Amino acid sequence: MNTRDQHHFTSDSDTSALPAVVDRATWQAELDKLLVREKAHTRQGDAIAAARRRLPMVEVDPTIQLIGPQGPVTLLEVFEGRKLLIVYYHMWHDGQSADAQCEGCTFFNGQVRELSYLHSRDVTYATFCEGPYEASARYRDFMGWDVPWYSAQDSADALLAGRGFGTLACYLRHGDQVFETYWTTGRGVETMAPSYVLLDVTVYGRQETWEDSPAGWPQRWGNTGEQFRTGGRPTAQWSRLAAGRSDDLTS
């Protein structure tokens, strides 16, 4: 287990750059103008979601096998009897240590925790990992995640049809038939990460170099993966090490 000092987190933004200071009435007037744009953005998002609900779908073989905690299971069984299934396809660097595992997948997949609300809408959430079940499940346990976890190592070609991991996909069960209804990747998977949504409402945003920010605003990270790492490993791992968990993926 790597026990290096976990206190690598930034305690401030190392910047003297601040927004202009105005009286409350002026501030509220500017905020009100922005809220008009935000409401339009919300309505456009509603319209896109409505179009998403009207997409056609494609049939998927329900007997495709994955590996779970009890061994082989079919895609149909992953639904756990529910009507809908959301799957995140988690990247895996086979043979690599925990600190070398995908920082982006750790960031996004690790923020989906409370599943009861999905279950109440007849939706199952599951992770399909690119790696072998034993090692990848140990990573899940080290991180403290309790979402259903399966290895898709031998079924990725059939499931992804030429796409890659780091994909979020949605499925519908109709009797014993399974259909894929939607998928997204890249920035599309940001829907999984409330941390980004919360950062976006702060004055300094995500502090990444691609953002359109005023001069002097902190922009510490490029879109290279390091925005999800602290001290050389995925940021969320430090708290697990501090709690005494082992990141050994081989035992």
Side-chain angles (χ1 to χ4, degrees), residues 66-119:
L66 302 115
I67 304 299
Q70 306 304 319
V73 295
T74 66
L75 177 61
L76 187 65
E77 291 174 303
V78 174
F79 279 78
E80 299 178 347
R82 299 185 182 92
K83 184 78 171 179
L84 302 167
L85 172 66
I86 300 172
V87 170
Y88 182 71
Y89 286 86
H90 192 107
M91 293 181 188
W92 187 255
H93 302 311
D94 205 19
Q96 298 296 308
S97 57
D99 61 297
Q101 293 304 323
C102 180
E103 62 281 337
C105 287
T106 300
F107 176 79
F108 290 109
N109 197 29
Q111 294 185 62
V112 181
R113 302 301 300 274
E114 180 54 68
L115 302 182
S116 59
Y117 301 105
L118 293 176
H119 293 171

Side-chain angles (χ1 to χ4, degrees), residues 172-188:
L172 167 71
R173 180 179 65 84
H174 182 64
D176 290 338
Q177 292 178 286
V178 173
F179 301 89
E180 186 174 358
T181 61
Y182 175 75
W183 72 275
T184 188
T185 191
R187 291 196 63 188

Side-chain angles (χ1 to χ4, degrees), residues 64-65 89 130 152-163 165:
I64 292 173
Q65 284 200 338
Y89 286 86
E130 186 178 10
Q153 188 177 39
D154 297 326
S155 53
D157 290 344
L159 287 164
L160 287 167
R163 294 164 288 172
F165 281 77

Side-chain angles (χ1 to χ4, degrees), residues 28-46:
Q28 188 62 52
E30 291 297 315
L31 179 58
D32 287 343
K33 288 192 292 186
L34 181 63
L35 291 174
V36 171
R37 295 177 62 189
E38 287 188 347
K39 180 171 283 190
H41 178 73
T42 298
R43 297 292 180 263
Q44 180 62 17
D46 291 343

Side-chain angles (χ1 to χ4, degrees), residues 130-180:
E130 186 178 10
Y133 181 79
E134 290 77 10
S136 66
R138 279 192 286 272
Y139 186 70
R140 175 205 59 191
D141 294 342
F142 162 60
M143 295 303 301
W145 302 335
D146 55 5
V147 298
W149 190 276
Y150 302 90
S151 170
Q153 188 177 39
D154 297 326
S155 53
D157 290 344
L159 287 164
L160 287 167
R163 294 164 288 172
F165 281 77
T167 291
L168 184 70
C170 298
Y171 300 89
L172 167 71
R173 180 179 65 84
H174 182 64
D176 290 338
Q177 292 178 286
V178 173
F179 301 89
E180 186 174 358

